Amino acid sequence: MGRGLWAVLWMFSVAGIHAQQAPASRPGATAQEVMPTPGVDVNPFRQLGPELPTPNTYRTASGAPGHEYWQQRADYDIKVRLDDVARRIDGEERITYFNNSPDMLRYVWLQLDQNQSAKDSDAELIRETRMSDRMTFDQVRKLEPEFDGGFRIGKVADASGKPLTYTVNKTMMRVELPQPLQPGGKFVFDVSWWYPINDRIKYGGRSGYEYFEEDDNCLYTIAQFYPRMVVYSDETGWQHKQFLGAGEFTLNFGNYTVAITLPADHVVASTGELVNAKEVLTAEQRTRLSRAFTSNEPVMIVTEEEARKNEPSRSKAQKTWVFKAENVRDFAWASSRKFLWDAMGVEVGAKRVWAMSYYPKEGNPLWEQYSTKAVAQTLLTYSKHTVDYPYPVAISVHSKWIGMEYPMICFNGGRPEPDGTYTDRTKYGMITVIIHEVGHNFFPMIINSDERQWTWMDEGLNTFCQYLTEKEWDRNYPARRGSARDIREYMAGDKSRMSPIMTNSESIWQFGNNAYGKPATALNILRETVMGRELFDYAFKEYARRWAFRHPSPADFFRTMEDASGVDLDWFWRGWFYTTDHVDIALEQVRWFQAESGDPVIEADFARARDAAKPADISLLRDRTAIPVTRLEADPKLHDFYTTTDPFAVLEMDKAEAASVLAGLEEGDRAMLRDGRNYYECTFRNLGGLVMPLVVELEFSDGTREVRRIPAEIWKMGTPTVTKVFVTERPLTRILLDPYLELADVDMSNNSWPPRPEPSRFELYKEKQRPEGENPMQRARRDGERE
Ligand SMILES: [Zn+2]
């Protein structure tokens, strides 16, 4: 998950859950515009060809890693010191870089992500700014950056201490190697640095500190705190996209040992396992921890009372917490005097892992009740759909507003009011963000995609599994992203402010809808409507299994989903991932037929009834009085055979001829004439551009219903309309396209035969009745005080 601002918007928009409106009216595109242009091949069913990279020995055409697949590895031995007064980090690291590639390297690249918050960073320079007639002090201040962050690099030297030549290029640093690094070789070198920590509340950021004025303490959430190896891969070579802020990280796996030195009264949460518990935890805390591991309810390791007592402490002593983490792509940690800490064990596959939460008292009562249990549920649901959670611990740390993920640890918003009340939006916002960020352990921490290139590969897949987890948490969970009905408003919107999902992370319009909501919904549609749960779940799990602890690309995902399910999904990837088309399929025309019975008497009755039921002609009606008597009425001599014979009369000869035709028919054919079946010829028009299966509900006069499902391949010729006949024994009262809102059809007003208006209501009001900003818990309290 993303930037501070984004997270703020995100929390607010949860309010939209209950106010979900019918989709916006039909977008501007007319049927004419989406019709294929003659001579231009726009058939939505053409196979994905040039869009995907050519398979090779590293990545196969089936979407699996090839027999010569390789990836680099970087191990880190890091020592950092947190200065709680100056609020700065000083660090030194030894990096061991393993060249598993078949290539010789003359230099290596490091990422200096902190440089994004330097005053002269590209992220700052490319931020568009504008003036207006009225501006707040804050708005004007933000025109020029105040905070000057960024790494101050000390030494860069080889293992023997010999300085290495290096060049800093914005958020990257090239280190020249004394000798070329051969395939299979490794290079060991040291880097030292310091940087000032950003005030996250004031300046934003994925990490930083929050200052609590009342007790003069900080809560630090520390990440991107060390120079990290850039990924060198078969796909991109060195990943040379600078860190601009939106596109997150591209990272190698490796083993970490991190020693964190800070004031002795701080409590530390971190990636990895604490290896010197005896030196930093009290005996009581260690006892509680061992009890927690076997407990199915969270156990307090640091209670609220203890945390409150610790807040005014100003220990002059220092402690060093040492953590080890194996096979992780990154490392992050958090610390504060304010932390409460609870933990419990969770059975995942064949082993038990830790679920833990760290939060200040300001997070309660919500955090103590929900956080660790949300961590546990996330591990269970995700493990079922991907791979068993492989790490020993998963931690949720409270951090105002943001949601940000790292291996085994994440920082999550959701803070009650100071009076301990909260809205259900705050509560569900908090649980949602915890599920989401803990879920990132799987995408991209384990299934390690390139976030700098493709936001959807981690956010989209993660949001999809988040949706599944929310449903296992609470059947009626107000899930905001994942179901087809919730994406319609976005997809019906202004196309000039929309990007295909396959767009680089920095250039995405409507980040949340594009990279989180739409791909999550697309996967849900594949699962529920296109592939079915059984085929989808197997293929999705296979993708996770193939690419756990590796670096998958979009093609690896697309190919694996088809390869493991036996379903051709090229049309679906093309439409949903490479275009901004939407779904709007109209049930344009319905024609109702019954077979003639072969019995001339029955047919004559039918013809007579139909004639009688014909609407009256307006002139005929008026002439009944305007013309008192016609010539024919006045003069009987004008009659002949045609004016005196019933035009529907059946002759004996007609009956005899019909009987002989019937006698000549096979028994089966004869039965068909008598069964009275109904034939409904339905024409569907593709107005939105995306082809989809047709889900058609047939409703009978007794209210019973039947659903017919037609695969999307009915659109295979690329025509704007398709026609299908549905045969029923009884007549229908209604035909409805997409009865369960599973197709993301943005305009349901053209989905019904006969057409049916959707009722809606508007609010008539005089003035606001409630005090501004009062939440339902506060209102209930006020109600209780009224007596
Ligand atoms: Zn995310």
Side-chain angles (χ1 to χ4, degrees), residues 1 405 436-437 440 459 462 516:
M1 184 141 181
E405 70 278 8
H436 181 93
E437 308 307 343
H440 271 306
E459 297 299 354
N462 183 38
Y516 294 61

Side-chain angles (χ1 to χ4, degrees), residues 45 48 385 456 460-461 464 467-468 482-485 487 491 501 517-541 543 554 556-577 583 690-693 695 709-713 738 741-744:
F45 277 89
L48 284 179
H385 287 280
W456 71 268
L461 272 55
F464 166 68
Y467 175 82
L468 300 177
S483 85
R485 66 178 75 189
I487 202 69
M491 291 185 74
I501 291 174
K518 186 177 168 186
T521 309
L523 296 189
N524 221 5
I525 289 174
L526 284 180
R527 183 170 188 253
E528 299 288 14
T529 305
V530 175
M531 301 166 75
R533 289 189 175 191
E534 202 183 334
L535 290 174
F536 177 92
D537 288 350
Y538 181 88
F540 191 74
K541 201 169 170 66
Y543 167 71
D556 299 323
F557 178 70
F558 296 149
R559 286 170 169 155
T560 294
M561 290 303 290
E562 301 192 20
D563 186 67
S565 68
V567 182
D568 173 16
L569 297 171
D570 278 23
W571 62 272
F572 189 87
W573 308 132
R574 178 180 293 289
W576 280 81
F577 287 72
V583 181
L690 286 188
V691 286
M692 289 295 272
V695 183
R709 291 178 175 269
I710 312 289
E713 279 77 1
D738 194 16
L741 303 181
E742 63 192 280
L743 303 178

Side-chain angles (χ1 to χ4, degrees), residues 1-2 6 206 248 403-405 433 436-437 439-440 443-444 451 455 458-460 462-463 466 511 516:
M1 184 141 181
W6 156 239
R206 295 172 191 277
E248 292 179 298
M404 190 55 211
E405 70 278 8
V433 80
H436 181 93
E437 308 307 343
H440 271 306
F443 308 99
E451 298 176 277
T455 298
D458 70 303
E459 297 299 354
N462 183 38
T463 303
Q466 172 200 333
F511 206 74
Y516 294 61

Side-chain angles (χ1 to χ4, degrees), residues 20-41:
Q20 197 68 52
Q21 295 297 309
S25 59
R26 188 188 306 181
T30 65
Q32 215 58 44
E33 286 162 346
V34 298
M35 278 193 205
T37 313
V40 179
D41 180 14

Side-chain angles (χ1 to χ4, degrees), residues 706-768:
E706 199 181 300
V707 172
R708 307 278 176 97
R709 291 178 175 269
I710 312 289
E713 279 77 1
I714 193 169
W715 300 98
K716 65 190 181 302
M717 302 312 289
T719 50
T721 63
V722 293
T723 300
K724 182 79 184 170
V725 175
F726 298 101
V727 184
T728 65
E729 286 181 4
R730 291 169 294 152
L732 298 176
T733 50
R734 190 157 81 105
I735 302 175
L736 180 62
L737 177 64
D738 194 16
Y740 306 118
L741 303 181
E742 63 192 280
L743 303 178
D745 194 319
V746 305
D747 183 5
M748 291 296 290
S749 74
N750 55 23
N751 283 31
S752 180
W753 172 86
R756 190 179 59 149
E758 289 186 47
S760 57
R761 298 163 88 85
F762 65 95
E763 182 191 2
L764 251 181
Y765 74 97
K766 221 170 176 180
E767 62 200 32
K768 284 268 175 265

